[in-house]
Amino acid sequence: MSQDFEPRIVVFACNWCSYAALDLAGTSRMKYPPNFLVIRVMCSGRVDPQFILEAFRRGADGVLVAGCHPGDCHYIEGNIKALRRMTLLKKVLKEFGIEEERFRLEWISASEADKFVRVANEMLEEIKRLGPLRIEEAYQHG
Amino acid sequence: MSGEPRIGVYICHCGVNIAGSVNIKEVVEYVKNLPNVVEVRDYIFMCSAPGQEIIKEGIKKCGLNRVVVAACSPTMHEHTFRNVLAEAGLNPYLLEMVNIREQCSWVHSDNRQAATTKAKLLIKMAVAKASLLEPLKEITFKVNKNVLIIGGGVAGLSSARDLARKGFNVYLIEKKPVIGGNVARLGRLAHVELKGIDIVKELLHQVVDNPNIHILTNTELVSVGGSVGDFKVKLVKNPRYVNENCNLCSECVKVCPVEVSNEYEFGLSKRKAIYLPYRNAYPPIYVIDSENCTRCFECVKVCPTQAINLAEKPEEIEVEVGAIVIAAGHEPYEPLIGEFGYGVSSRVITLFQLERILDEDGPTKGRLEVNGVQPKDIVFITCVGSLNTTPNAYPYCSRMCCSSTIKNALIIKEKVPNANIYILHKDIRTYSRGDEQLYLKAGESLIRFARYREAPNVIVNPDESINVRFFEETIQEPVSIPADLVVLSVGMKPPRDIDKVRTIVKVGCGPEGFLREAHLKLRPVEAATDGVYLAGTVTGPKNIIESIEAGGAAASKVSTLLTREEVRIEPLIAVVNDEKCSGCLICVGICPYNAIKLRIQGDARVAEVDPALCKGCGACVASCPTGAMQQFGFKDNQLESQVLAAFTE
Amino acid sequence: MEALSKPVLVIGGGIAGIQASLDLADQGVHVYLVERSPSIGGKMARLDKTFPTLDCASCILTPKMVSVARHPNIELLTYSEVVEVRGSAGDFHVKVLKKPRYVDEDKCIGCGECISKCPSKVPDEFNLGMSNRKAIYFLFPQAVPLKATIDREHCLYFTKGICRVCERFCPTKAINFEQKPETLELNVASIIIATGYELMDPGLAPTYGYGRYLNVYTSLEFERLVSSTGPTGGEIMRRSDKKHPRSIAFIQCVCSRDVKINPNCSAFCCMASVKHAILAKEHLPEVDCTIFYMDLRAFGKGYQEFYNRAMREFGVRFIKAKPAKIEEDPETRDLIVTYEDTFEGIKKSMKFEMVVLAVGVKPVYPEALPLTVGEDGYIRLRNPYLEPISTTIDGVYVVGVAAGAKDIPDSVIQAGSAAIKASIIAGGVKA
Amino acid sequence: MDKPKIALYWCASCGGCEEAVVDLAEKILDVVNLVDIVFWPVAMDYKIEDVEKLPDGSITASFINGGIRLSEHEHVVKLLRRKSKLVIAYGACSAWGGVPGLANLYSREEIMRYVYHEAPTVENPEKIRPELKTKVEEKITLELPEFLPRLLPLDLVVDVDYYIPGCPPTPDVTWKAIETLLSGNLPPKGSVLGALDKSLCYECPLNDTKPEKVLIKEVKRPHEVIADPSKCLLTQGLVCLGPVTRGGCGALCIKAAMPCTGCFGPLDEVIDYGGKAISYFASIVDYTSEEEIEKALGKILDPMGVFYRYSLPASRLRGKIMLVER
């Protein structure tokens, strides 16, 4: 794949854990690639698979949904609801021909800034290897 | 608020925190051309008074009806800027914050161009969402004037004392049968002629007679419903099997056939199945340990006051409170068997066991002796369980152990003037007022200090003598010290079942399990959950004085809440569009708070959200099959607009 | 929320006084907050970032300052001093002297027009003299209240009888050269002392050469030097040649933990220096940072982890030693630090391009109160365990560094603890 | 006054929608009395040329069923669009692609290969495939319309005014839609005619049998269970898409103890029918561990066929993305 391909990746981050972890990455002056655009939600349980399909349709090369670890949800088990939905969504994405590396559901607690950095680096590398999703070209086929 | 969106975008430099890695000028030029944006301003500190004025002025001068602030994390200043909007006469929920500091400038400071591009995109996404924001009305509740305090140690007691004096009704619950926590079992304290129990007794003296305080021992939290200002709490009071008629005559203890190790004396003595945990325990009533009781009824037979009832059952108690203070304390770190010889030799004890031994009310009546013999060569090892000393240890400093170690060494010197005392340490951290003088005094008393980096090796010889070997950092030589008593200065760890409590009350914790404060520096006694406060060592190690002060500080915060007649909460909750709801019931089963009920409307049933119960997670919204359920501040179209803006150029 | 009770006096507008005032005010208690300088904010306002999170101090403090200014239950008396206290708990009679700003606070809109026109330059005390301000000035740009103050000692009109430029340019006619000191009489139920500290005089440790050697700084000076709002806009540069230093030594326990000068530990300097070393590394990645310490007191939540990061991630060097002396190379103005290498037991010396002294602190107390001071130089407390913030005068509390050196979270906690006690005396809760 | 002129056309569909019109039974006569049918290839002998001759905008309404699969479909619907005041997507295929739209999971080549070579009933040893142009004699060349790369719903090819849902639309829905159109009181453009603005649960007779919390432990396929016709099928573990599907069909399938498969399509607020269906259905699978959730949802062997049965070409992604040659 071309070296100058800079994927754009959307992150849906739960306010209490993952968003806080992203903040912590900042306050700890960690570094991660600038390709991740965060949309804050109060809970990963708010994330509707429709948004993820919409993101891919608009040109996302990857989507990351990040929530609290099971058992740690600020809303008891919103993250479990996310897990259920994303499990089914993954099957559907596969049928749509979207490689599994492009979509991840990760548990990132407020103290795991380093985990976010690791996940971000991994995802970026994998997606760079895959190349762009090229949704617009697919659309031009009708 | 109708009409076309008129958005003002305010970009903060945060000194050089943002401006250092983001080209603010370029961002400003870019943002000017975004749809609906009518004003763009930047300033060195948007959160400062002049910064806030700029926003207010913009709202008035440009007739703004939406505001985007690109600055730090919303967890830091969303509240601040909402107030700014309110003061300028704009609904505070017409604000959208963009995190261009924590999630942009700080993490991309190595790539100015990328940070600038990302800042632009993030602002563009926020502007898109802002265009769709709606004014929201805050939800208000009447504030219940009662408070629940979880934990009867010094932090909880000091909170209870201050709140009761202020006139609030306090429920203080303690899981154990006795009040006083860890402090109650400490011997003489530093700087004063007081023992741990004296502090507890004095605090108790100040609270037990106050009619506003209800102390419930043997009581645990079952569930918490409701929210700030109006919590509905279920408690269970486990049976003590002995009632207030008990006069501590100890007849029961004499006849009880069961003997087990006394955990309140850290295993230094035995107790019966019916027992008083330690001398001077409060309440002064025996307790039966149902796990070990054989139900032989001998105690019942001999009790002269008929105080014992083995048929007692757990009792469910419901209370309604406006605020909750978690003061669940800590547990001393318990070394593993074999760690520094602990559990291998009875001559290796923890600092807490030493406190009991040196206490006149303790198992040896204050005589320094182990196995009946007075030790002379005594080695203290600090940072046991702390500072990653051993693989099992925690990374943090437990704060109180250095002073406590020195204090105990000095007490030993008083009792056994010819004792040879070594304190092995990594650093002596006597930071608290007066403690440095204690350290100096220890030096004058010929207590010897040695510095280690790698954990000392405690070698228990076949003849039971002990050698402590370590590499001394200052003289850079290996050293072996013979010892007939090794004291492990153990640190603090979170209490065993804190996870249960924090899950019920919904408070986050750090990596080691201590509860997380809303802000480490400026909100140290508040949880992120409204109406929940944290006092004492439950947030991390503290000494006694600091715990008592934290109790007071938590009381102060509770008082600021309970003084109000009503409380406002963020209206970012779920809401049903009656026109679209088909009454399919899916949301009802999804809601973790039972906040959704069906209501008959005409010939159909529609879902209805109880705003007092909804916590705003949005799980029902994602589950709603028709889009009838939405969440204020996070509506489908608002989130979708962010996705769109992230990509469309 | 209306005040239902008798007022409380808070003396000192640093973070402890601010927090105590806000807590009281939120409990419906009317508060007089007296601050002797022209703005609240105290020492924390001078900090660039705070350990261990590296939160920027302004970002967390300025909103609190704004809240104080607009709280209906707080009456802010800046540029004022308590001159007399009589009475007892529940009924103190207090006299407060309001110094003249020569600017009408009601009229001044904080536009700064006067400041830009003032011709008289004065060393800026907020930046510890490392930059200049005008004779009419704001203490700092985010000052609360944002009202200009004329420094009479340096004002050309007051000293030479000429100028009055500020008066001419003031758009609201706020300048008033005729303003007189004013004495206010307050009746309060309780008093909270939050008067903070000042640094010990580094001249007490003459072997370190502060004042003689240009490139020796105090830690507070260094704090301003790394601050983006400071005299150099955050550029770390030497006084002698305006060059970035390639090596910095941070020396702990200067004028503290020293039986001859001041035996107390100042509690926060270790972490402040660790933070300074990290900030220096962030500003100048090539800089070499060395911390000379006696015991590294990283005791608070997250502090040890912060210390570990300084060592591992930022490569800060830690040497356990208390240097004996510093000498200056007269040519380069570099500094030679002599210390005993405890490992080898020999005297060593090391050259640095900048030295920062973590100078100890001493408390500041209002003279108007008959307080007893203990052997350690801090106010004597009634009972350090049971009432750790109660002075020997009933109804008078002491918090923050004035009650013993401590860091920000501990000051905030004490402030809250004092607030509830004062609020109990003030009474008036409608429960 | 002239009677309104009506055209009916059939693109890629099974023909059921044509039947549905006939299913109006005697009401068809009322319709015929009220309108002039100017084009209806399946029933009347009009040719394309006849339509071409009509002035632009002279047809009151064209009812088009089926998705756009062939170049001919594209040509005709564009023509009808030009000639018509209103274009109405009739039936699920026209509105969202319908069952034939599931072909979007495969490339043209894959489809051709399967249909002409690999399907079990095909006997084609010479591997002959239809050509776009076939020379029959010297002067006669037969032309076939082109098979487009993807099937598209009508509104991705021409502007559509209204939608009538169903596979096929029920007579009741069809009649209500016609009534609405004839009333002259036209709803906003883009409206769905003849159906409800609420989901099927609203009119489902079994909705009242749901327990307070609708959560399921075991997902069942229809052939694995003899469903109790008096109890909500979803609560019996069947994937019923009633909650996420527009009502108005009269719950016909449910009354026959078959779960709703979604032929009335999404409600207005829904962004992507299948995405929403996944979101709702997965939410109620009452397990918390990854393994158990995976196991329960693993019972859905063909998620696209279940959740996108009628709407794949109208989904956000339209079909398999990787058909794009890399």
Side-chain angles (χ1 to χ4, degrees), chain A residues 1 47-51 53-54 56-58 77 80-81 83-85 87-89 91-99 102 107 130-135 137-139 141-142, chain D residues 105 149-150 152 270-272 275-276 278-279 281-290 293-294 297-298 300 303-304 307-308 312 315-322 324-326:
Chain A
M1 255 316 125
V47 182
D48 189 321
Q50 294 187 108
F51 303 150
L53 294 165
E54 177 78 24
F56 281 121
R57 185 265 167 273
R58 296 294 163 184
E77 53 171 35
I80 299 300
K81 280 146 203 162
L83 174 64
R84 294 175 191 165
R85 294 183 196 123
T87 303
L88 192 49
L89 177 69
K91 294 175 192 292
V92 167
L93 290 179
K94 193 175 163 213
E95 299 281 329
F96 274 121
I98 293 178
E99 298 93 338
R102 294 189 193 272
W107 308 136
L130 293 171
L133 185 62
R134 302 205 296 181
I135 182 77
E137 285 175 56
Y139 256 59
H141 276 240
Chain D
L105 293 172
R150 284 199 184 184
L152 297 178
V270 172
I271 301 167
D272 183 291
K276 193 81 237 194
I278 287 167
S279 193
F281 185 76
S283 301
I284 61 169
V285 172
D286 193 17
Y287 289 106
T288 52
S289 83
E290 217 163 304
I293 292 168
E294 181 66 51
L297 290 171
I300 301 169
M304 303 308 267
F307 298 108
Y308 282 108
L312 184 63
S315 70
R316 301 318 279 160
L317 301 175
R318 294 192 195 172
K320 192 159 182 162
I321 293 179
M322 290 308 133
V324 185
E325 308 249 321
R326 288 196 167 261

Side-chain angles (χ1 to χ4, degrees), chain C residues 356-410:
Chain C
V356 180
L357 307 178
V359 182
V361 301
K362 62 175 180 214
V364 173
Y365 297 117
E367 281 168 15
L369 278 151
L371 299 161
T372 28
V373 172
E375 282 162 28
D376 59 359
Y378 288 103
I379 295 186
R380 215 182 275 282
L381 300 176
R382 185 158 343 158
N383 178 333
Y385 280 89
L386 287 162
E387 292 174 75
I389 48 169
S390 301
T391 68
T392 45
I393 307 171
D394 212 12
V396 177
Y397 303 97
V398 60
V399 299
V401 179
K406 59 179 61 66
D407 55 22
I408 295 169
D410 285 355

Side-chain angles (χ1 to χ4, degrees), chain B residues 77 166 399 433 474 521 539, chain C residues 51 59 342 379 410 423:
Chain B
H77 276 327
K166 185 72 191 167
R399 214 168 156 128
R433 179 174 171 188
T474 314
K521 304 195 88 72
T539 56
Chain C
F51 56 81
C59 308
T342 49
I379 295 186
D410 285 355
S423 145

Side-chain angles (χ1 to χ4, degrees), chain D residues 7-11 18 39 41 63-65 72-73 76-77 80:
Chain D
L8 294 95
Y9 185 65
W10 169 6
C11 299
E18 303 282 344
F39 186 58
F63 289 75
I64 297 170
N65 71 72
E72 182 184 67
H73 298 149
V76 177
V77 300
L80 286 172

Side-chain angles (χ1 to χ4, degrees), chain B residues 446-640:
Chain B
L446 300 180
I447 290 167
R448 275 161 278 195
F449 290 83
R451 198 155 176 262
Y452 73 86
R453 192 150 304 267
E454 297 305 320
N457 215 345
V458 176
I459 297 154
V460 181
N461 302 312
D463 65 350
E464 292 192 16
S465 67
I466 293 175
N467 279 82
V468 182
R469 289 192 189 151
F470 64 102
F471 188 82
E472 214 292 332
E473 283 278 313
T474 314
I475 57 170
Q476 290 283 299
E477 268 174 36
V479 173
S480 175
I481 306 174
D484 37 27
L485 178 65
V486 174
V487 182
L488 307 179
S489 297
V490 292
M492 298 181 173
K493 62 172 193 169
R496 204 159 300 144
D497 54 357
I498 191 63
D499 266 353
K500 193 181 141 202
V501 173
R502 75 168 183 88
T503 318
I504 294 173
V505 190
K506 294 182 193 74
V507 176
C509 70
E512 287 88 27
F514 286 112
L515 301 193
R516 195 181 309 120
E517 35 311 75
H519 189 281
L520 187 60
K521 304 195 88 72
L522 294 191
R523 296 174 69 193
V525 295
E526 296 163 74
T529 311
D530 287 342
V532 179
Y533 304 89
L534 310 170
T537 51
V538 78
T539 56
K542 282 176 191 61
N543 67 26
I544 299 171
I545 297 171
E546 290 160 352
S547 295
I548 290 175
E549 284 174 354
S556 186
K557 288 289 169 207
V558 170
S559 178
T560 63
L561 169 65
L562 301 196
T563 307
R564 290 181 232 169
E565 287 308 308
E566 57 175 30
V567 64
R568 291 162 192 280
I569 60 163
E570 284 192 349
L572 304 175
I573 57 166
V575 56
V576 185
N577 179 346
D578 292 355
E579 297 294 307
K580 302 286 173 187
C581 177
S582 310
C584 73
L585 267 164
I586 298 297
C587 54
V588 177
I590 292 303
C591 179
Y593 303 103
N594 296 319
I596 310 174
K597 298 269 178 299
L598 280 200
R599 167 170 62 89
I600 305 293
Q601 188 195 46
D603 58 341
R605 301 189 300 173
V606 293
E608 186 176 54
V609 177
D610 181 344
L613 295 179
C614 175
K615 298 266 189 287
C617 67
C620 58
V621 185
S623 309
C624 173
T626 63
M629 187 71 86
Q630 290 295 336
Q631 181 184 5
F632 285 130
F634 297 92
K635 288 192 164 178
D636 279 353
N637 65 347
Q638 292 166 345
L639 294 172
E640 199 191 354

